[in-house]
Amino acid sequence: MADTLFTNVRILDGTGQMPYTGSVLVQGNRIRQVGRSTAPISPGGATVIDGAGATLMPGMTEAHTHFSWNDAATLAGIQTMPLEEHVLWCAKVAKRYLEAGWTSCVGAACAKPRLDVVIRNAINAGQIPGPRYLAASQEITVLGGLGDETLSHLPFPEFSFGVNVSSADEMRKAVRLFLKYGVDSIKLNLSGDNFTPDSPAETTWMTDAEVEAAMHEVRIRGKRGTAHARSAASVKQALKHGIDVIYHASFSDTESLDMLEAAKDRVFVAPGIAILYAMLHEAEAYGITNAKAQAMGYQIEWDAAIESLKAMHKRGIRVLPGGDYGFAFTPHCQNARDLEFFVKYLGFTPMEAIRSATFYGGQIMMKPNELGLVKDGFLADLLLVDGDPLANVAILRDPKRLLAVMKDGVFAKSPEIAAQRRWERAA
Ligand SMILES: [Zn+2]
């Protein structure tokens, strides 16, 4: 592994301090030295990349990722993709995420039992390029809830997006099976979802006995529980049972906010608000007009989610970007749009939005002391960005502005050779 010295870069280090000009030395897979321009770092044998004033920042973490969502408009459209094609799809998407600057992703459910585990293992073994990845189970749901796509005349599990359970015993069996497959997290659909008919987002479906059975198995194996929880009651249920990652959390009440705040050093919220916005304003080509989206309850949910998430941010609860990209109306690799939404709708400063994607990202990846900052000793996951993301976070979703992506000390996207030569001549 060649060592790399980035010189003449504006270092946006993820700590919250304003960027400063300097150099960063990467040795092996770690950042070994971060220096201001007043104290140049000797390159030794390292390859020198002259950043020419570009921004060097930590790689981003997508906190709510579904590689196996295949940009279809329906859950059935995702689920009915044959397994062989589906594996190839996930591998292709994983590579695209990494090249788009997402050096870490938290799997939030996959569409077939082992898709996430197989992709994570292939990435870790170096068989395919992809982000650091935490593999999820399929969604576990209850009959008629979000993810139950079985039909009365086709009651086969293969037709269902999630795994349906109807008792604590069935839950235990499902969870044990996914743990056997080697998942990092178990995903429970605690609330309804406006996407599914007759399953409003404000309703809460799973029994405490079912959730407790799941979390008992999760704890025994030292794994993590995650929850689809749009209703206030489901957020409280997740917290009560020790679930660490809460997806959506659209609806809140004072009690749920107090509980979240009390658990803020443990829990993460990854709302995925882009899909709410897209359903309301951008899904007409797929038959979902604004009027239809409103009838489905999306305007009520959007309004509630904005208020809830603003309140969480004010209370210091960790709210992270990412979520539910991979539908036709929220295609993969537009994920950095969440940072724009956080700034525009949730009251984040650009610095806070970037920190939630980087510093909190290292925390949700369970590597709080070695991932998510440009800091001596941290893992070398770095982005070289043309421009100032603090002035305009939107540049983070423009591939042309991402000059280079490094994961674990290796370029996933290399700076252009021509540009490097130009820089070398200039030097
Ligand atoms: Zn999701």
Side-chain angles (χ1 to χ4, degrees):
M1 193 184 293
D3 297 341
T4 305
L5 176 65
F6 295 92
T7 62
N8 195 18
V9 284
R10 287 180 72 251
I11 301 168
L12 174 52
D13 65 10
T15 64
Q17 72 169 317
M18 290 307 288
Y20 55 90
T21 301
S23 308
V24 174
L25 176 64
V26 173
Q27 286 182 336
N29 70 335
R30 299 262 169 191
I31 296 164
R32 279 297 164 215
Q33 207 178 339
V34 181
R36 290 179 184 265
S37 53
T38 46
I41 298 169
S42 158
T47 303
V48 177
I49 306 290
D50 183 339
T55 300
L56 191 74
M57 61 175 274
M60 297 187 291
T61 295
E62 221 285 356
H64 177 167
T65 312
H66 302 292
F67 286 155
S68 56
W69 284 199
N70 62 5
D71 290 349
T74 62
L75 298 181
I78 297 171
Q79 182 57 27
T80 50
M81 181 180 243
L83 178 60
E84 296 84 350
E85 282 86 347
H86 222 151
V87 177
L88 292 172
W89 169 270
C90 293
K92 190 176 79 176
V93 169
K95 179 171 186 277
R96 287 175 56 206
Y97 269 66
L98 178 58
E99 289 171 353
W102 301 98
T103 50
S104 292
C105 291
V106 179
C110 52
K112 295 187 176 73
R114 293 180 62 247
L115 280 174
D116 258 20
V117 165
V118 165
I119 292 298
R120 177 202 63 197
N121 292 350
I123 292 169
N124 289 347
Q127 290 176 317
I128 59 169
R132 299 176 194 278
Y133 194 58
L134 296 178
S137 67
Q138 263 177 295
E139 297 183 352
I140 301 178
T141 190
V142 296
L143 273 181
L146 170 68
D148 174 8
E149 293 282 304
T150 54
L151 300 169
S152 59
H153 64 299
L154 293 168
F156 309 112
E158 292 79 4
F159 282 92
S160 189
F161 191 69
V163 173
N164 299 328
V165 300
S166 280
S167 67
D169 278 346
E170 288 184 16
M171 173 66 85
R172 200 170 286 115
K173 186 175 177 188
V175 171
R176 284 176 174 166
L177 191 65
F178 285 119
L179 291 169
K180 169 183 162 174
Y181 292 156
V183 299
D184 298 302
S185 67
I186 294 289
K187 169 79 173 285
L188 305 180
N189 285 358
L190 302 184
S191 79
D193 193 288
N194 292 328
F195 200 60
T196 306
D198 306 317
S199 161
E202 288 171 79
T203 56
T204 306
W205 291 60
M206 217 168 251
T207 65
D208 277 329
E210 288 163 339
V211 181
E212 180 48 41
M215 289 308 293
H216 177 77
E217 300 299 325
V218 165
R219 272 192 288 271
I220 288 174
R221 303 281 284 268
K223 302 297 181 185
R224 179 188 254 176
T226 71
H228 170 92
R230 293 191 183 274
S231 65
S234 64
V235 170
K236 289 183 252 187
Q237 187 179 42
L239 290 164
K240 178 175 149 194
H241 291 284
I243 287 172
D244 287 340
V245 181
I246 297 176
Y247 293 125
H248 309 301
S250 302
F251 295 91
S252 63
D253 55 24
T254 305
E255 190 185 17
S256 72
L257 292 171
D258 287 346
M259 286 174 74
L260 280 165
E261 188 174 351
K264 69 181 180 184
D265 294 333
R266 173 175 71 79
V267 300
F268 300 90
V269 175
I273 53 172
I275 195 160
L276 302 179
Y277 185 88
M279 292 297 277
L280 282 164
H281 305 294
E282 298 171 346
E284 200 165 333
Y286 310 98
I288 302 162
T289 60
N290 179 264
K292 185 173 179 191
Q294 297 219 25
M296 290 166 85
Y298 279 108
Q299 187 66 51
I300 290 167
E301 183 172 3
W302 170 266
D303 294 343
I306 296 306
E307 287 313 307
S308 300
L309 294 164
K310 268 192 200 163
M312 287 176 214
H313 178 53
K314 278 205 191 102
R315 286 170 177 246
I317 295 152
R318 293 174 292 190
V319 178
L320 278 71
D324 284 340
Y325 288 87
F327 286 103
F329 18 81
T330 50
H332 285 297
C333 293
Q334 288 295 303
N335 311 51
R337 196 182 190 195
D338 275 39
L339 277 72
E340 296 160 55
F341 283 176
F342 279 24
V343 171
K344 192 167 177 189
Y345 299 112
L346 303 186
F348 281 58
T349 64
M351 181 69 93
E352 287 171 338
I354 288 168
R355 284 193 87 215
S356 77
T358 56
F359 180 59
Y360 290 168
Q363 295 174 355
I364 199 173
M365 289 300 292
M366 302 168 158
K367 294 181 185 296
N369 300 315
E370 58 176 351
L371 191 65
L373 296 176
V374 182
K375 185 178 174 190
D376 297 7
F378 269 50
L379 291 162
D381 288 12
L382 297 165
L383 310 182
L384 188 63
V385 183
D386 176 16
D388 180 6
L390 291 174
N392 179 10
V393 288
I395 64 176
L396 292 171
R397 68 177 166 116
D398 181 351
K400 290 192 293 292
R401 307 296 286 274
L402 271 185
L403 302 174
V405 178
M406 175 178 271
K407 176 197 153 199
D408 217 29
V410 177
F411 281 114
K413 178 177 182 179
S414 299
E416 274 184 39
I417 302 292
Q420 278 187 55
R421 290 215 181 100
R422 197 167 65 239
W423 296 328
E424 279 163 16
R425 274 202 303 275

